[in-house]
Amino acid sequence: MSKSNRKTAITLTLWGIFMLHAELRASQETGYRLPPREMIDLVDAPTTPSVSLSPDRQWLLVLDNPALPTIAELSQPELGLAGLRINPLSSGPSRISYHTGMQLVSLRDNSTRPVLGLPPGARIRHAAWSPDSRRVAFTLTGESAITLWLLEIGSGEARELTGQPLSAAFYDDPFQWMPDSKRLLCRLIPMDRPEAPAAPAVPDGPVIQECGGESAPAPTWQDLLRNPHDELLFDHYFSCLLALVDEEGNITRIGGPAIYRSAEPSPDGLAFLVEIIHRPYSYLVPAMRFPHRVQIWDQHGVLIREMADLPLAEQVPIAFDAVPEGPRYFSWRADQPQTLCWCEAQDGGDPKRPAEIRDKVWTLAAPYGRDAELLANLSLRFRGVYWGNEHLALVQEWIWKERRVRIWAVDPAGRDRKGRLFADYSMEDRYNDPGTPLMTSTEWGTRVLRLTRDDKAVYMRGEGASPEGSFPFLDERTIENGQSRRLWRCTAPYYEYVIDLASAGAESFLTRREGIDEPPNFHLRRFGQESSVPVTSFPHPSPQLRGIRKELIRYERGDKVQLTATLYTPPGWERSQGPLPVLMWAYPQEYKSAAAASQVSDSPYRFIRISPLSPLFWVMRGYAVVDDPAMPIVGEGDREPNDTYIEQLVASAEAIVAELKDRGVADSTRLAIGGHSYGAFMTANLLSHCRHFKAGIARSGAFNRTLTPFGFQSEERTLWEAPETYLKMSPFMAAGTMDTPLLLIHGEADNNSGTFPMQSERYYAALKGLGKVARLVILPKESHGYRARESVLHMLWEMDQWLKFHLGEK
């Protein structure tokens, strides 16, 4: 037997021993496991608080973020209805994120004031400033109800405003401030709501669906309605009342019961824009595509005008910039007391259909009896509008196929329906992204463009991507010709971006600054001054991470595409000490331009933070971690990126492996690759098509693209339009060539489009049936991302054990 054959035989024997041990171990293991103590300490480290700036820019509301929830919290009752998940006990969303405490920071003198009156164990959500900055409304989520609370800024006292529960079944805010800052428009659960309808003990008959020849492609949405009982549950949990609640807790009912898709007061508070969902429902699409009426009510809830009754939207094309037929995106014009705005497709909602005008944008002012006025004719798809004043609105349009965005400066009071070109750029071109406009609050509490004193320019803030990394900026951009003047730019060694102008006269501005070892904190800056004044002093949550070396590295793929990655090495490591075990964690992205794919997308000065799902835990275990190595999939011109997905993916992996070897960071024996979601899909493909890696970790992935036949990620073609691409890209189809040990982890309740738990289960079954080395871990109650402390710690234990065995003991 040759030396190479003896080595192969020994390796296979070791795999056989490992697999026998693994099968016995898997059959005996029960309960959640704990990773090493250094990982537990990082998981349990406090998180940096969130903040909210008051409309008058005088206060910061600091909101404490909690530790990870327990698996008991995640095990609360849950219903999936019409694409939404709710807790039937509270009639609010399940799996919520919340805050546990509040305090106020004055921007006048940097003093801090505690918030009093909160009950123990408060779960705070939906914090919203009143237009006059004197109050903050928020909700507390209890075991069986969501209640409305009010914080008085003057006293720092919080109190319950009304005991009648709010309805928060839709994921948006269950209340909105009225412009008088004294009342709130609320969705309330009727006090006399009956018990939820019980499921029939005996089925009434089969569930039948039928199509009559019309094309109705749909993504792989989950938690859809399935039967008539689900329809009754949807009616029960999503129906609510509309009411005004004043500062004393008095309730004035204005509408209901109905299923309110949205409800928004006009800027002057004298009318309401209401969207009401009605039957027939669908088992194919989520609630946001159900039939709904769009109506204008007066301040007492009396119908003024019905703007549209829109049908079920099952036949929307699958292109990213496809839209339903008919009027859409109804909203109030933010700078006027009572003017409605909406748009309507002129191409049937299908971007593949030739059309000189794709969208028309309309406005209609009170008293609504007249005809609508045309605001803009757009040759691309309407993307949104920033309102400025009587003579300025920035109207956005875009086209997905070209990844192009245009912004037009339109005069709503003028006759020119085209306007002046304000910006024209590629969504992929980070280096030339003009940024987004700064907004300011009106007396009504609406948000409008923050203009310079002469009304001739708009303040723009942006990421400031460059070949050296991201350095955020603040610009003035002239309305007349779209020319920019730089007012400020972040400088090394920080990553610092603008929150808002901090004074009415625009002499100062508020920023959020962080460095590699400096946690994010808020600063006040004055134009023309180098120094800043700290406003907050949040401590380093994980000081044990100090000393980790972070480096933005650059290298080249075989086809000359320039790539970048962020390399983390353990404290004190030097090249002379020899190579390290390496964990690479990546997520591919599609591009229409090789130049855009070559751009740097990160900052070398971001704070080193470890989120629960981060790969950086292993730096503290003695590994080198390569985070987000670029894996661009490029298809220029008429070429589709995914037609050469495998070839480009392997080329990117080979490029980063070669770079790591050249740097002395890695050798050929201890390389692992991993990813989450589309990164898991990438991982399985790399293990099937290249041999650089000794182990893989794939979390919450999809592995068989025939199960997502109407597109996935950035792929707009269907399985039947590009069968070879779908099959070639599916790791499931290449399971026979996958000879690298693979750890599969998936949430039992994953509701992300396309990543059904079945994807991992079927892939594991294929690998096991073919005699491969794999392990499947299903985390109870978890969705696409993992939240419970027990789940996260067990995930880390699984990954640590896997890497330790296959890359060598550390």
Side-chain angles (χ1 to χ4, degrees), residues 416-438:
D416 183 3
R417 300 302 88 186
K418 189 66 176 180
R420 298 179 298 278
L421 187 63
F422 182 76
D424 186 352
Y425 62 99
S426 167
M427 292 184 285
E428 295 182 339
D429 185 0
R430 303 178 186 92
Y431 294 174
N432 292 298
D433 189 329
T436 57
L438 283 185

Side-chain angles (χ1 to χ4, degrees), residues 745-768:
I745 303 176
H746 216 117
E748 173 190 57
D750 191 339
N751 66 336
N752 181 59
S753 179
T755 56
F756 299 90
M758 179 181 67
Q759 287 273 10
S760 287
E761 293 166 347
R762 295 287 173 85
Y763 187 43
Y764 171 76
L767 295 174
K768 184 172 183 177

Side-chain angles (χ1 to χ4, degrees), residues 50-212:
S50 304
V51 303
S52 175
L53 180 66
S54 65
D56 64 4
R57 298 178 294 279
Q58 297 301 308
W59 293 96
L60 278 183
L61 178 66
V62 180
L63 298 149
D64 297 328
N65 294 314
L68 293 177
T70 65
I71 192 65
E73 290 183 70
L74 214 62
S75 300
Q76 292 296 304
E78 184 175 66
L79 283 176
L81 296 169
L84 301 165
R85 286 184 172 180
I86 65 166
N87 182 332
L89 298 180
S90 66
S91 292
S94 58
R95 304 171 185 272
I96 62 171
S97 298
Y98 54 84
H99 306 287
T100 54
M102 297 191 290
Q103 57 182 332
L104 292 162
V105 176
S106 170
L107 295 183
R108 291 191 181 97
D109 57 15
N110 282 12
S111 62
T112 299
R113 177 190 298 174
V115 171
L116 307 174
L118 293 172
R123 294 193 291 176
I124 303 162
R125 302 191 73 219
H126 307 115
W129 287 93
S130 61
D132 63 6
S133 299
R134 294 173 56 194
R135 298 181 175 94
V136 173
F138 60 95
T139 64
L140 290 188
T141 300
E143 292 298 322
S144 60
I146 298 170
T147 54
L148 180 62
W149 283 62
L150 203 63
L151 165 62
E152 300 284 353
I153 303 303
S155 65
E157 291 276 352
R159 57 186 171 89
E160 186 177 72
L161 194 57
T162 175
Q164 185 166 350
L166 295 172
S167 173
F170 286 109
Y171 291 170
D172 55 353
D173 293 342
F175 67 84
Q176 291 186 64
W177 277 104
M178 295 294 288
D180 61 10
S181 295
K182 297 178 180 179
R183 298 173 298 161
L184 297 116
L185 176 64
C186 300
R187 300 177 192 174
L188 299 177
I189 296 174
M191 297 299 286
D192 58 352
R193 186 174 75 174
E195 293 293 320
V202 178
D204 296 328
V207 176
I208 299 171
Q209 301 183 62
E210 184 176 1
C211 53

